[in-house]
Amino acid sequence: MKWIRLGAAVLFALIGGVSARGQWNNWLLFSNSVPFSSSSAPWNGVDPLNHLNDSFYVFRLPFLSWVVGWAFSALIVTLLLCAVTHYLNGGIRPLSAVQRVSPHVKAHLSVLLAVLALVQGVNYYLQRLSLVLGTDHFFDGASYADVHAMRPALVLLMAISVIAAGLFLYNVRQQGWLLPVVAVVLWALVWALVANVYPALVQSLAVNPSQNTKEAPYIQDNITATNAAYGLQSCTSSASPASSCVTAQNFQGDGTVTASDVTGNSLQAETNKQTLANVPLLDPTVMNSTFLKQQGFRGYYTMSGPSTDRYNLPDGSAAKSEETQVLISARELDPTQVPASWVNSHLQYTHGYGAVLAPANQSGVDPSDGYPSFSLSSLPPQGQPPLNTEPRIYFDTNPLSTSGYVIADSNQAELDYEDPSGGEITTHYDGTGGVPVGGLVRRTAFAFSFGDFNILISGQVKSGSKVIYYRNVVQRLENAAPFLSYDGDPYPVVLNGRLYWIEDAYTTTANFPYSQQANPLGTSRLPGTSELGYENFNYIRNSVKCVVDAYNGTMWFFVQDPNDPVIEVYERAFPKLFTKMSEANSMIQGITSHWRYPEDLFTVQTDMYGRYHQTNAQVFYTNSQQWGIAQNPSSGEVNAATTTVPPLPGALVPVQQAPAQSVMPIYELTALPGQTQQSFVLLQPFVPYSNGDKQNLTAFMTAASDPDDYGQLTVFTIPAGQTVDGPYLVSTAVTTNSAISEEITLLSQRGSKVVLGNVIMVAIDQSLLYVQPLYVEGEANGVPRLDDVLVVYNNTAYHSGSGNPSLDAAICQITNPDGSQPFRSYCSGAPKTPPPVVTPPPSSSSTTTTVPATTTTTRPTSATTVVLPTQRGTIAQDLAGAQQDFSYANAALRQGDLATYQNDIGAGEALVALATKLEGTETTTTRPSTSHPPSTTTTTTRKTRTTRST
């Protein structure tokens, strides 16, 4: 019997211990609690109902609630076990006619029941305090029924719990169980009536008939707490937290741009010119495959998704650097494409190499073909910013890096890259990352840990070799600081000749009193990679900026928001983990200039602000002024299936856009209204909340990313009664422009498709331009290139023209209602003739793409007659196809593919000749003035094209 008791005790101890193991974070918060103050919460950090500091709910209540719940469960189990034990020992004899329960057993069980009643009374007390965290109304926090019905009911239940405990103790000296049974029945009856029926009656009879007035003070508390919890409180509020607040400004939006606004040397004109010069034309959501195809080089490389940042890059027109918005992508290792063998997978192919960077504005577009013009590219990396100190990437963002391992600095040389001649450039790791293999014991441990016996027996592995695991950046940070939540978009930074990763981390809680839970209102637009989308929270701060060295794996956790009490708690718990922001630049020179306000946080904030900018309780209740996120149906792939050319010449089917989708926040390097210098901001437009029929712009919010004003939120509101088109209506202006519609329809033929980039809002003083890049992508090669730039101003769409993707060429056509052309000076910068073909590079790798259409040509050596294709269309269709062929030819030539170049030149010339013949004129055609090898007569079936990477 002794061993049975010991075994049972151990078993239940393990069960209780396992349930307690998951409370480590709540214990950290409880044991290191710090108070909220006026700089971090409304009402000086004290809730208006219970008058307790918010730290009680955030740091202490979760652990106390668990302790009470654990104690109640433990007492129930103990009571049952004791009853069974007493029964087995004869202390309980249910069939006895004299004494069914022995006096000592009765005393034992009565005391346990009394303690159980007291524990439940404590639970009622915590429930009463937790009413400010309620989530069962149309707003969160305590409601009228909670305060006037549930709160008194819980006080009564607390009293009954104490009475019941007294009766259980009194019953120790009494015969029978009558008093305890009466207490339990009374308890259950009061709970059913007072805690359930009474609050429901109050809600139905007192609240619902006049809900707007009864709930008004509690709605106001919810508004105040929610705005503070999400950093959305007005900067003019006396209770505004110092860490984050919103500044409100008016924005007309329908002002008229004049020539003086964009010409001359005035400060405002210079600012506006800088804004236009930095309008991004390379969309990071579109350029991913282009970066990979042009700069991936080898199959075992992949590219991280292009990320937006800003760098000081040389200005081609002057010997100085200009802050420029860019797209940057790191060249990571793709382990699935490594030649299959243990040595290759774990010893030789251990890391990625280098990064690529292209200006996102006009200077980053190659005018000859619309592909990116990289400022930093190639292997080894060449260009600006320099990446020449340490370009190797052992720690990356590839999801495949979350599993497995590599062994660096073994006897097997590690591959950096292959040179153009096929020679291997190798290295041996000499960084501080990884764990030394060591002796036999550690080797054996690694072999068992990874389930790989080769670690133990391989002669290539030496004791000084480094086993590198947890190579994924987010995974690595999560293991170091699992109590933080991480952003879904870590991005690379080239700095001081090496590569770093920056990742935003958040502190969150679901226990901020009166604040609204983010899910689902604030999390519906978050990407699947964001941890915030899988959490319940009603308070959030971007408290930490994480930096990871791509070579060594060294991690830094810089405290971004020292006013956040949650991060203060973790700093007390882990004083050596976190670093003050003031030390960031001294540890990594220049790193703060690459901070970005995180998209995930801004997405949550703008979703919440759409409703919670209504700070008046009555307006909030009617929801009459709620904003919605602007819709943008025109971004993404144009439905090519509905853009076929009908039999009648010139009759075009209307372009069908993709289904409407929310406009996501976009980074812009721009001068905001009222500013005279550029700043790097996130921007989100709002429209009236509706089912889609109201798409006029009501406001837009920006979040500052520059070190001097990081985190400053500004909302620019359109005055009431004024009408300004939102991004959704850009598609209307585009589709009503017959030239643009015809161009999109034609470009969607001949094996290619049109992809529209995100709509960019550009504020010029009190005026508004919408800019949208148009890309053409071959259906076979999947490599988009910029083909046109669309601009909408004053409800009218303009474009630069297919094959001439220039913002200057588009805006120079803008005409005001009075006939003036404010951007006329930009026409001088717009290309007027097709640019010359660039000289082809030496050699590189190739990939295969397809462009359907069959053309038979006779290759001319000078002026000659071209055999026309048999497929006939309109003149416009033929010329558009010719332009596309010449663009393909230029791309092929600059990438060294002479055979494809000849094919495309011939096809383009044939279409030009066909268009000329359709005009009724016999003609001979001469190729464009380019430099290419002598040609021969060739019959070409344009089914497959080869694109080479440089």
Side-chain angles (χ1 to χ4, degrees):
M1 181 64 71
K2 175 181 178 181
W3 291 106
I4 293 176
R5 291 176 179 174
L6 180 61
V10 171
L11 175 62
F12 284 101
L14 287 174
I15 294 174
V18 168
S19 67
R21 187 173 71 94
Q23 295 300 312
W24 62 268
N25 189 41
N26 285 337
W27 169 248
L28 282 178
L29 298 174
F30 179 86
S31 59
N32 295 281
S33 175
V34 298
F36 281 73
S37 64
S38 59
S39 65
S40 55
W43 309 300
N44 292 319
V46 177
D47 84 276
L49 181 62
N50 299 316
H51 307 292
L52 295 173
N53 191 274
D54 294 334
S55 63
F56 172 80
Y57 306 100
V58 175
F59 302 132
R60 296 186 178 276
L61 183 60
F63 185 74
L64 291 175
S65 297
W66 174 82
V67 169
V68 170
W70 186 91
F72 188 86
S73 300
L75 285 170
I76 291 291
V77 172
T78 301
L79 182 66
L80 294 176
L81 289 176
C82 289
V84 171
T85 302
H86 286 310
Y87 174 78
L88 295 177
N89 291 333
I92 298 177
R93 299 179 296 275
L95 300 180
S96 174
V98 182
Q99 191 178 44
R100 296 176 179 174
V101 181
S102 300
H104 70 280
V105 172
K106 181 181 179 182
H108 187 193
L109 297 181
S110 294
V111 170
L112 287 176
L113 288 169
V115 174
L116 191 64
L118 291 176
V119 169
Q120 184 58 29
V122 175
N123 185 39
Y124 288 140
Y125 174 71
L126 294 181
Q127 287 183 33
R128 182 173 179 270
L129 297 179
S130 299
L131 290 175
V132 295
L133 305 176
T135 59
D136 53 354
H137 315 291
F138 69 91
F139 62 94
D140 290 350
S143 67
Y144 181 93
D146 289 335
V147 174
H148 293 86
M150 181 60 75
R151 202 162 184 258
L154 289 170
V155 172
L156 182 58
L157 287 173
M158 289 163 53
I160 291 177
S161 299
V162 174
I163 293 172
L167 290 175
F168 280 124
L169 294 176
Y170 180 75
N171 190 58
V172 170
R173 296 183 178 274
Q174 300 297 314
Q175 296 293 326
W177 294 88
L178 179 61
L179 288 179
V181 170
V182 170
V184 170
V185 171
L186 178 62
W187 191 350
L189 182 63
V190 171
W191 175 83
L193 294 177
V194 177
N196 291 277
V197 176
Y198 177 57
L201 289 174
V202 170
Q203 181 69 36
S204 300
L205 301 179
V207 177
N208 289 347
S210 55
Q211 191 176 45
N212 61 327
T213 56
K214 294 288 187 182
E215 300 285 23
Y218 309 105
I219 292 175
Q220 195 65 57
D221 289 342
N222 171 259
I223 295 171
T224 301
T226 300
N227 282 331
Y230 292 92
L232 297 172
Q233 201 162 1
S234 171
C235 289
T236 60
S237 170
S238 59
S240 173
S243 56
S244 179
C245 57
V246 178
T247 299
Q249 296 185 25
N250 282 334
F251 176 68
Q252 298 298 321
D254 61 352
T256 300
V257 179
T258 63
S260 62
D261 291 332
V262 291
T263 58
N265 298 321
S266 68
L267 182 59
Q268 189 62 58
E270 291 293 335
T271 300
N272 292 336
K273 286 189 284 187
Q274 281 188 325
T275 294
L276 291 171
N278 264 315
V279 172
L281 300 181
L282 297 183
D283 193 323
T285 63
V286 177
M287 286 288 104
N288 191 27
S289 60
T290 304
F291 273 47
L292 177 61
K293 292 292 180 67
Q294 292 200 334
Q295 289 293 316
F297 294 123
R298 302 292 181 182
Y300 48 80
Y301 287 135
T302 187
M303 304 298 294
S304 66
S307 299
T308 304
D309 201 353
R310 69 283 198 199
Y311 285 79
N312 288 324
L313 297 179
D315 184 353
S317 61
K320 63 178 181 178
S321 295
E322 292 285 352
E323 187 178 27
T324 305
Q325 185 169 331
V326 304
L327 295 185
I328 183 172
S329 178
R331 191 178 291 107
E332 302 173 333
L333 179 69
D334 183 356
T336 63
Q337 301 301 316
V338 170
S341 76
W342 186 82
V343 171
N344 285 338
S345 298
H346 298 286
L347 305 183
Q348 186 172 14
Y349 292 84
T350 58
H351 58 279
Y353 198 92
V356 297
L357 182 147
N361 59 12
Q362 186 70 58
S363 66
V365 179
D366 190 329
S368 67
D369 53 21
Y371 288 116
S373 178
F374 294 102
S375 172
L376 174 67
S377 62
S378 302
L379 286 171
Q382 299 175 9
Q384 294 293 326
L387 182 54
N388 49 18
T389 302
E390 188 49 76
R392 298 171 183 86
I393 303 173
Y394 283 83
F395 300 89
D396 58 35
T397 58
N398 192 332
L400 298 173
S401 299
T402 56
S403 60
Y405 67 96
V406 296
I407 301 178
D409 193 25
S410 66
N411 292 325
Q412 170 65 52
E414 302 166 52
L415 178 66
D416 275 345
Y417 59 91
E418 298 176 51
D419 62 26
S421 63
E424 293 186 347
I425 309 300
T426 60
T427 188
H428 284 274
Y429 184 73
D430 63 353
T432 59
V435 180
V437 170
L440 179 62
V441 175
R442 191 177 290 179
R443 276 198 184 206
T444 304
F446 278 127
F448 277 104
S449 177
F450 293 111
D452 194 338
F453 193 62
N454 289 299
I455 300 176
L456 188 61
I457 64 174
S458 174
Q460 298 277 41
V461 180
K462 53 188 181 181
S463 61
S465 300
K466 300 287 191 70
V467 181
I468 301 178
Y469 49 100
Y470 296 146
R471 295 170 293 151
N472 181 273
V473 168
V474 177
Q475 176 196 39
R476 191 170 183 81
L477 294 169
E478 287 174 337
N479 279 277
F483 43 81
L484 299 175
S485 301
Y486 294 94
D487 193 80
D489 185 25
Y491 58 98
V493 170
V494 175
L495 199 61
N496 309 318
R498 59 193 304 129
L499 192 139
Y500 300 91
W501 296 97
I502 296 180
E503 170 70 322
D504 286 284
Y506 309 107
T507 51
T508 63
T509 181
N511 285 359
F512 196 80
Y514 280 103
S515 178
Q516 192 75 20
Q517 294 288 328
N519 189 8
L521 177 61
T523 59
S524 59
R525 293 191 297 143
L526 289 174
T529 55
S530 174
E531 294 184 1
L532 297 178
Y534 305 95
E535 296 183 10
N536 292 320
F537 61 93
N538 66 355
Y539 170 98
I540 184 171
R541 289 291 185 270
N542 176 213
S543 295
V544 180
K545 292 287 187 180
C546 307
V547 181
V548 180
D549 188 299
Y551 184 68
N552 293 319
T554 307
M555 293 173 287
W556 294 269
F557 294 83
F558 297 109
V559 177
Q560 172 67 39
D561 188 354
N563 294 314
D564 173 29
V566 181
I567 200 61
E568 286 186 65
V569 166
Y570 290 125
E571 285 186 279
R572 294 180 65 180
F574 305 101
K576 295 183 179 180
L577 179 63
F578 297 98
T579 305
K580 294 181 179 179
M581 184 59 69
S582 59
E583 301 176 17
N585 283 328
S586 61
M587 302 183 76
I588 309 173
Q589 185 178 2
I591 192 66
T592 61
S593 64
H594 292 280
W595 291 159
R596 301 188 320 187
Y597 197 83
E599 290 178 80
D600 289 354
L601 173 60
F602 194 58
T603 298
V604 171
Q605 288 178 312
T606 50
D607 283 346
M608 299 298 293
Y609 195 70
R611 184 172 191 190
Y612 279 87
H613 78 278
Q614 304 172 115
T615 55
N616 180 277
Q618 294 299 328
V619 174
F620 183 93
Y621 180 81
T622 60
N623 218 22
S624 59
Q625 297 178 19
Q626 182 176 359
W627 295 342
I629 300 299
Q631 299 292 302
N632 177 21
S634 61
S635 64
E637 180 184 343
V638 175
N639 188 352
T642 62
T643 57
T644 55
V645 179
L648 293 177
L652 299 174
V653 176
V655 175
Q656 300 295 316
Q657 309 290 358
Q661 53 187 333
S662 297
V663 174
M664 296 302 293
I666 295 177
Y667 288 105
E668 293 187 36
L669 182 59
T670 185
L672 296 173
Q675 294 184 353
T676 56
Q677 62 181 12
Q678 293 187 110
S679 56
F680 190 61
V681 300
L682 259 178
L683 187 148
Q684 176 69 68
F686 294 100
V687 296
Y689 184 80
S690 67
N691 294 324
D693 57 335
K694 296 180 180 179
Q695 289 296 331
N696 292 322
L697 189 70
T698 57
F700 63 92
M701 178 181 280
T702 63
S705 296
D706 295 331
D708 292 340
D709 59 352
Y710 181 89
Q712 176 60 55
L713 303 178
T714 305
V715 60
F716 296 88
T717 307
I718 307 298
Q722 193 161 306
T723 301
V724 177
D725 285 351
Y728 184 95
L729 300 177
V730 170
S731 62
T732 303
V734 169
T735 54
T736 55
N737 185 310
S738 59
I740 298 177
S741 296
E742 181 177 357
E743 173 187 297
I744 292 175
T745 302
L746 294 175
L747 291 174
S748 299
Q749 312 304 308
R750 298 170 50 77
S752 63
K753 59 185 179 182
V754 170
V755 178
L756 296 174
N758 286 315
V759 174
I760 309 297
M761 289 180 57
V762 182
I764 304 295
D765 196 16
Q766 294 297 314
S767 306
L768 193 62
L769 303 179
Y770 288 107
V771 178
Q772 185 172 37
L774 182 150
Y775 306 91
V776 174
E777 176 182 331
E779 292 182 349
N781 66 9
V783 183
R785 61 180 178 83
L786 185 66
D787 190 77
D788 200 353
V789 177
L790 314 180
V791 175
V792 175
Y793 168 75
N794 196 22
N795 304 322
T796 304
Y798 306 88
H799 69 128
S800 61
S802 178
N804 178 33
S806 165
L807 178 64
D808 289 356
I811 64 175
C812 85
Q813 306 172 45
I814 289 178
T815 305
N816 283 321
D818 62 1
S820 62
Q821 293 184 292
F823 299 95
R824 189 62 182 170
S825 61
Y826 281 79
C827 295
S828 60
K832 296 179 177 60
T833 59
V837 179
V838 300
T839 305
S843 62
S844 54
S845 59
S846 63
T847 56
T848 301
T849 61
T850 304
V851 179
T854 301
T855 307
T856 303
T857 67
T858 301
R859 176 64 56 197
T861 57
S862 59
T864 185
T865 302
V866 179
V867 180
L868 302 178
T870 57
Q871 183 177 347
R872 299 176 64 87
T874 66
I875 295 175
Q877 294 165 16
D878 291 331
L879 291 178
Q883 179 64 53
Q884 183 174 343
D885 283 327
F886 290 141
S887 296
Y888 283 144
N890 287 348
L893 183 57
R894 68 187 289 269
Q895 295 172 4
D897 186 357
L898 300 181
T900 303
Y901 166 78
Q902 291 178 339
N903 292 346
D904 291 336
I905 284 292
E909 291 173 341
L911 288 172
V912 170
L914 181 58
T916 305
K917 184 175 181 180
L918 288 176
E919 283 189 316
T921 305
E922 295 293 333
T923 186
T924 61
T925 62
T926 305
R927 279 174 289 178
S929 177
T930 59
S931 176
H932 50 269
S935 55
T936 57
T937 302
T938 306
T939 300
T940 306
T941 302
R942 295 185 61 246
K943 291 290 186 182
T944 304
R945 69 165 39 248
T946 302
T947 303
R948 296 184 180 271
S949 301
T950 57

